[in-house]
């Protein structure tokens, strides 16, 4: 058996060494741009996109807690689809009479004391159970699948689909920005940054792919494509105003849908403001153009009205998604409005925890723990430090991207602040709401900084960034192995021991 681990370790570390060799400082990949890549190397992005999708999606079905074998409360999207087919918005669960008789059914300790039986982490209101997760994934995937096939879509499969589309969106958006703003970015940087930031943004969903992460991944999926379509409308080469408005309409539609997937992710729609300002640069606002802009923005209004109607039908409040009525560890009705909850010290401590918190290395494999965003993935610091260098700021201003980048810088702080005020605690899963934004900012900062370097320094910088990107991917793998949240390695510790033996050639 040790021989198997030895040879598996040889294959693993041999592959890592081979990749490092391909990306050595003198590799042509650090001098070659996308325009110079040729027919064979032009297929590398497609090959790598498919590889990243496989790496991220295949492990999602390994753990019985998440693959549908033992779903518990994690099949809410599936149940919600059935409820809609049955003609109502509540979920078909029997209600424990003890819950009906409670003065405050949202008191966790009181429910424990009298032994109330109820589905975990559902919204409860007026004698019915509801799903407080956004309804949009149900209409995008679960209902169509159920209607077409006659069987329910297992939730982790939906996460796989959203994750695949998100990864494609990252590769596509980065490719667009390279072609538009910094065509001299090397092939190595494009491939490695696209791969690293894709995996970094969704790695936690590989660990826990059903329900909670379905919301996160669906949200960032529609948002990355929303930004791509808006970018095409604003900075694309197309001069046909109607076509650009069509792109903007698609961006608005997807951006609006994010509110029905994961509301904190939908704050990324604030990026539309600097993009709209750039779109209007040099144009005169006529009635005709105003009408076109209203058409482009109309999905926000239409989808917003639908979501508010959905909320009102359930909770008699158009702005209540159900979080206040959760049956979980905290009575979230006590939170009140975000302004009422605002505490500067709580916010500052939460920001420090979310971005720079560090926990010492553990003695057990995989040795690391979940830390703040910059500690988990130091490559994200490029998005902060390079943004404030004069050369980078000048390059951003020259193409009118500086305001866009500032909003991109502010968004993770804003989303984190809202999470601090609206949630009982900060956990790694919530960082999925901001990792992709921080990755996008870092990509832009790296791209513009690289453009201002000499030819010799460009190759050296490309090598450095590629190494950091590889470290990011490796960090995601190690974080995936941390036993947490009913993950595969927590569910079956023998899996972790097996992986450890592969890493150590069977010597542990």
């Amino acid at each position: 058996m040790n021989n198997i681990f030895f040879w598996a370790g040889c294959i693993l570390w041999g592959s890592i060494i081979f990749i490092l060799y391909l990306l050595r400082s003198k590799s042509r990949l650090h001098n070659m741009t996308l325009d110079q890549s040729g027919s064979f190397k032009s297929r590398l992005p497609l090959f790598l996109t498919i590889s990243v999708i496989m790496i991220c999606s295949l492990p999602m079905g390994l753990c019985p807690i998440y693959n549908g074998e033992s779903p518990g409360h994690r099949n809410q999207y599936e149940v919600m689809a059935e409820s809609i087919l049955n003609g109502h918005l509540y979920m078909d669960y029997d209600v424990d009479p003890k819950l009906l008789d409670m003065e405050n059914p949202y008191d966790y300790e009181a429910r424990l004391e009298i032994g109330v039986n109820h589905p975990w982490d559902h919204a409860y209101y007026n004698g019915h159970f509801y799903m407080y997760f956004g309804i949009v994934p149900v209409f995008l995937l679960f209902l169509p699948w159920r209607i077409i096939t006659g069987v329910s879509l297992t939730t982790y499969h939906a996460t796989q689909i959203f994750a695949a589309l998100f990864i494609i969106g990252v590769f596509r958006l980065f490719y667009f920005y390279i072609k538009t703003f910094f065509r001299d970015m090397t092939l190595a940087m494009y491939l490695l940054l696209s791969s690293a930031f894709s995996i970094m943004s969704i790695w936690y969903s590989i660990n826990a792919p059903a329900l909670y992460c379905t919301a996160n991944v669906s949200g960032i999926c529609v948002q990355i494509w929303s930004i791509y379509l808006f970018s095409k409308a604003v900075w694309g080469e197309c001069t046909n105003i109607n076509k650009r408005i069509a792109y903007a309409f698609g961006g608005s539609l997807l951006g609006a849908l994010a509110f029905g997937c994961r509301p904190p992710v939908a704050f990324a729609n604030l990026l539309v403001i600097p993009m709209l300002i750039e779109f209007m640069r040099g144009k005169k606002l006529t009635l005709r153009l105003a009408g076109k802009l209203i058409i482009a923005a109309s999905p926000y209004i239409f989808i917003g009205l639908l979501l508010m109607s959905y909320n009102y039908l359930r909770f008699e409040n158009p702005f209540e998604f159900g979080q206040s009525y959760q049956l979980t560890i905290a009575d979230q009705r006590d939170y009140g409005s975000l302004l009422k909850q605002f505490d500067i010290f709580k916010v500052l401590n939460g920001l420090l925890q979310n971005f720079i918190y560090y926990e010492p290395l553990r003695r057990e494999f995989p040795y690391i723990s979940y830390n703040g965003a910059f500690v988990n993935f130091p490559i994200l610091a490029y998005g902060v430090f390079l943004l404030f260098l004069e050369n980078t700021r000048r390059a951003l201003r020259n193409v009118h991207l500086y305001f866009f980048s500032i909003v991109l810088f502010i968004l993770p702080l804003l989303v984190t602040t809202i999470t601090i005020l609206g949630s009982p605690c900060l956990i790694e899963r919530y960082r999925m709401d901001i990792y992709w934004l921080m990755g996008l900012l870092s990509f832009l900062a790296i791209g513009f900084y690289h453009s201002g370097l000499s030819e010799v320094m460009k190759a050296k910088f490309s090598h450095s960034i590629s190494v950091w990107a590889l470290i990011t991917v490796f960090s995601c793998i190690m974080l995936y192995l941390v036993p947490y949240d009913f993950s595969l390695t927590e569910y079956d510790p023998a899996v972790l021991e097996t992986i450890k033996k592969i890493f150590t050639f069977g010597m542990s």
Side-chain angles (χ1 to χ4, degrees):
M1 182 62 73
N2 283 340
N3 285 337
I4 296 176
F5 293 130
F6 173 79
W7 290 112
C10 288
I11 294 172
L12 171 66
W13 288 106
S15 300
I16 294 173
I17 293 171
F18 177 69
I19 293 172
L20 289 173
Y21 174 77
L22 288 178
L23 295 170
R24 67 195 184 280
S25 58
K26 294 183 179 181
S27 171
R28 289 183 60 199
L29 292 174
H30 300 304
N31 294 293
M32 187 178 300
T33 65
L34 291 177
D35 291 334
Q36 302 167 333
S37 58
S39 59
F40 172 72
K41 293 183 179 65
S42 66
R43 298 189 184 97
L44 279 176
L46 176 60
F47 170 77
L48 206 56
T49 303
I50 295 173
S51 299
V52 172
I53 289 172
M54 300 293 284
I55 290 169
C56 291
S57 62
L58 292 181
M60 290 185 184
L62 297 178
C63 183
I65 298 295
Y66 293 101
N67 66 11
E69 292 182 26
S70 180
H73 66 285
R74 298 174 186 85
N75 64 346
Q76 292 186 41
Y77 287 108
E78 302 165 50
V79 176
M80 192 67 230
E82 294 295 332
S83 296
I84 292 173
L85 289 176
N86 291 331
H88 52 77
L89 299 177
Y90 58 84
M91 307 178 86
D92 289 313
Y93 297 134
D94 294 330
V95 182
D96 189 336
K98 288 183 286 188
L99 185 64
L100 291 169
D101 293 337
M102 288 187 69
E103 182 177 347
N104 179 12
Y106 310 103
D107 186 328
Y108 175 63
E109 297 296 334
R111 294 200 309 272
L112 285 180
E113 185 177 340
I114 64 175
V116 174
N117 181 31
H118 66 86
W120 180 254
D121 217 359
H122 288 62
Y124 174 73
Y125 186 76
N126 280 353
H128 290 294
F129 295 110
Y130 296 92
M131 183 179 74
Y132 70 85
F133 298 92
I135 193 66
V136 164
V138 174
F139 283 97
L140 290 181
L141 287 181
F142 290 89
L143 263 179
W145 183 276
R146 174 66 175 81
I147 293 171
I148 294 171
T149 68
V151 297
S152 294
L153 177 66
T154 306
T155 303
Y156 88 93
H157 285 312
T159 308
Q160 288 177 317
I161 294 171
F162 285 125
L165 292 174
F166 171 77
I167 292 166
I168 296 170
V170 170
F171 273 83
R172 193 63 198 167
L173 180 64
F174 285 6
Y175 181 87
F176 173 80
Y177 284 153
I178 291 172
K179 289 292 189 179
T180 306
F181 300 120
F182 31 81
R183 301 180 74 94
D184 57 348
M185 176 174 275
T186 66
L187 185 62
M189 291 173 69
Y190 168 59
L191 295 177
L192 269 296
L193 288 175
S194 299
S195 301
F197 289 151
S198 295
I199 298 172
M200 177 197 72
S201 300
I202 63 171
W203 78 264
Y204 192 92
S205 69
I206 306 172
N207 226 5
L211 186 61
Y212 298 99
C213 289
T214 308
N216 295 88
V217 179
S218 64
I220 65 176
C221 172
V222 294
Q223 273 296 176
I224 199 75
W225 282 102
S226 172
I227 292 174
Y228 172 73
L229 292 175
F230 275 125
S231 297
K232 291 275 286 185
V234 175
W235 295 295
E237 296 179 353
C238 177
T239 57
N240 186 310
I241 187 67
N242 290 329
K243 192 171 183 179
R244 296 174 75 179
I245 291 297
Y247 280 130
F249 181 89
S252 297
L253 177 61
L254 293 173
L257 290 175
F259 287 97
C261 294
R262 171 81 176 160
V265 173
F267 278 94
N269 283 286
L270 290 174
L271 289 167
V272 177
I273 297 173
M275 285 195 276
L276 177 60
I277 292 173
E278 176 58 24
F279 179 81
M280 292 301 298
R281 186 181 300 275
K283 294 184 178 67
K284 183 179 180 181
L285 183 61
T286 63
L287 286 176
R288 185 173 183 179
L289 179 57
K292 291 180 184 293
L293 293 175
I294 291 172
I295 291 173
S298 61
Y300 284 115
I301 300 172
F302 180 68
I303 299 296
L305 289 174
L306 286 177
L307 290 175
M308 287 191 289
S309 299
Y310 169 67
N311 290 336
Y312 185 82
L313 290 172
R314 298 185 303 157
F315 306 115
E316 302 174 279
N317 182 345
F319 304 105
E320 176 58 65
F321 283 86
Q323 183 170 343
S324 300
Y325 302 113
Q326 286 178 253
L327 296 181
T328 182
I329 59 173
D331 184 351
Q332 299 203 32
R333 296 181 310 154
D334 292 338
Y335 287 14
S337 67
L338 293 180
L339 290 177
K340 180 181 177 182
Q341 288 293 313
F342 188 82
D343 179 335
I344 186 62
F345 293 102
K346 180 181 179 181
V347 170
L348 290 176
N349 285 328
L351 289 171
L352 291 173
Q353 177 186 345
N354 214 42
F355 291 100
I356 62 173
Y357 172 78
Y358 171 72
E359 187 169 319
L361 295 176
R362 304 184 310 162
R363 293 182 180 274
E364 302 82 15
F365 183 80
Y367 310 119
I368 62 175
S369 301
Y370 299 155
N371 295 293
F374 291 117
V375 181
N376 281 341
F377 307 114
I379 194 173
L380 295 176
Y382 280 99
V384 177
F385 294 119
L386 295 183
L387 182 64
F388 291 98
L389 293 180
E390 179 58 32
N391 289 344
T392 309
R393 294 205 307 271
R394 187 185 306 115
L396 287 166
R397 288 193 183 100
N398 288 339
V399 293
H400 310 297
L401 263 178
Y402 187 65
F403 184 26
F404 180 85
S405 300
I406 292 299
V407 175
L408 201 51
F409 173 80
I410 293 171
L411 276 172
L413 301 174
L414 175 63
V415 173
T416 298
T417 299
I418 291 170
T419 304
I420 292 167
L421 299 176
S423 301
C425 58
L426 286 174
I427 56 179
E428 179 64 28
R429 184 176 73 246
Y430 296 159
R431 295 190 186 107
M432 292 179 65
D433 298 338
I434 62 172
Y435 277 143
W436 69 286
L437 291 167
M438 298 173 72
L440 177 54
L441 177 63
S442 297
F443 178 79
L444 290 173
I446 288 169
F448 281 106
Y449 177 78
H450 173 264
S451 293
L453 297 175
S454 66
E455 292 304 316
V456 174
M457 290 305 298
K458 281 180 179 179
K460 292 182 178 179
F461 185 67
S462 175
H463 175 253
S464 173
I465 291 297
S466 298
V467 171
W468 274 114
L470 282 177
I471 292 172
T472 301
V473 173
F474 187 76
S475 297
C476 290
I477 294 171
M478 300 306 286
L479 287 168
Y480 167 76
L481 297 177
V482 175
Y484 183 76
D485 200 9
F486 305 105
S487 64
L488 177 63
T489 56
E490 184 177 58
Y491 175 80
D492 186 0
V495 172
L496 186 61
E497 186 62 27
T498 299
I499 296 172
K500 180 183 178 182
K501 288 180 178 179
I502 293 174
F503 269 87
T504 58
F505 301 96
M507 292 185 292
S508 62

